[in-house]
Amino acid sequence: MTAPPIRTVVLEREFTTTPEKIWRALTQPHLLEEWLMQTDFEPVEGRKFTLRNQPRPDVSVVIDCQVRAIEPHKTLSYSWDAFGLESVVTFTLEPTASGTRLRMEQTGFRPDQDLAFKGAQAAWKQFATRLDALLARLD
């Protein structure tokens, strides 16, 4: 018997800025709140934190997370667990000739989690757009 296939959402963007500036947006709670969600994140391996969002007055989203790996200005990985989904989000930064390539992977979607998979595909595109706008404003 083989394990069911696990799906992954992948998003890649190239930004015309430094890895250090993107790293700030990935790791500082007040900046994370601007493009992702409210959080009590701290960049410490093993640290548990939550991401919170209230898209409508009657809907509250709480995502339980734990930092799994961190290599400043290069890689950040944390668990992302909510509504029965147990996934891992990994950000990878790579300097390029014109800036920085950001790769985001969220893996762990089982075949029966199609709604969550499609929701993540749409949400990460929106998050990336907001991250781009934030980076344009940061010094």
Side-chain angles (χ1 to χ4, degrees), residues 30-78:
H30 70 286
L31 298 178
L32 281 163
E33 186 174 333
E34 289 195 41
W35 70 272
L36 189 60
M37 294 181 215
Q38 292 181 335
T39 185
D40 56 348
F41 175 86
E42 290 180 32
V44 176
E45 195 167 313
R47 170 83 160 82
K48 292 182 179 180
F49 63 100
T50 58
L51 294 166
R52 296 177 178 273
N53 188 18
Q54 190 161 10
R56 296 189 326 240
D58 60 329
V59 176
S60 182
V61 175
V62 179
I63 300 166
D64 295 312
C65 306
Q66 184 172 15
V67 178
R68 296 169 58 105
I70 187 165
E71 184 176 356
H73 310 135
K74 293 183 179 175
T75 302
L76 173 64
S77 180
Y78 48 80

Side-chain angles (χ1 to χ4, degrees), residues 8-122:
T8 301
V9 174
V10 177
L11 181 81
E12 289 187 341
R13 289 260 173 107
E14 186 158 339
F15 295 96
T16 56
T17 190
T18 63
E20 291 79 10
K21 191 172 178 181
I22 297 173
W23 187 255
R24 288 174 43 210
L26 296 178
T27 60
Q28 294 184 5
H30 70 286
L31 298 178
L32 281 163
E33 186 174 333
E34 289 195 41
W35 70 272
L36 189 60
M37 294 181 215
Q38 292 181 335
T39 185
D40 56 348
F41 175 86
E42 290 180 32
V44 176
E45 195 167 313
R47 170 83 160 82
K48 292 182 179 180
F49 63 100
T50 58
L51 294 166
R52 296 177 178 273
N53 188 18
Q54 190 161 10
R56 296 189 326 240
D58 60 329
V59 176
S60 182
V61 175
V62 179
I63 300 166
D64 295 312
C65 306
Q66 184 172 15
V67 178
R68 296 169 58 105
I70 187 165
E71 184 176 356
H73 310 135
K74 293 183 179 175
T75 302
L76 173 64
S77 180
Y78 48 80
S79 60
W80 176 292
D81 301 338
F83 308 108
L85 172 66
E86 294 180 358
S87 65
V88 174
V89 172
T90 301
F91 297 96
T92 305
L93 302 176
E94 178 184 345
T96 66
S98 60
T100 305
R101 181 176 298 111
L102 171 66
R103 178 181 174 91
M104 186 292 307
E105 292 184 13
Q106 183 176 12
T107 191
F109 297 93
R110 297 185 318 259
D112 65 333
Q113 295 176 315
D114 197 50
L115 187 60
F117 180 74
K118 289 178 179 173
Q121 286 179 311

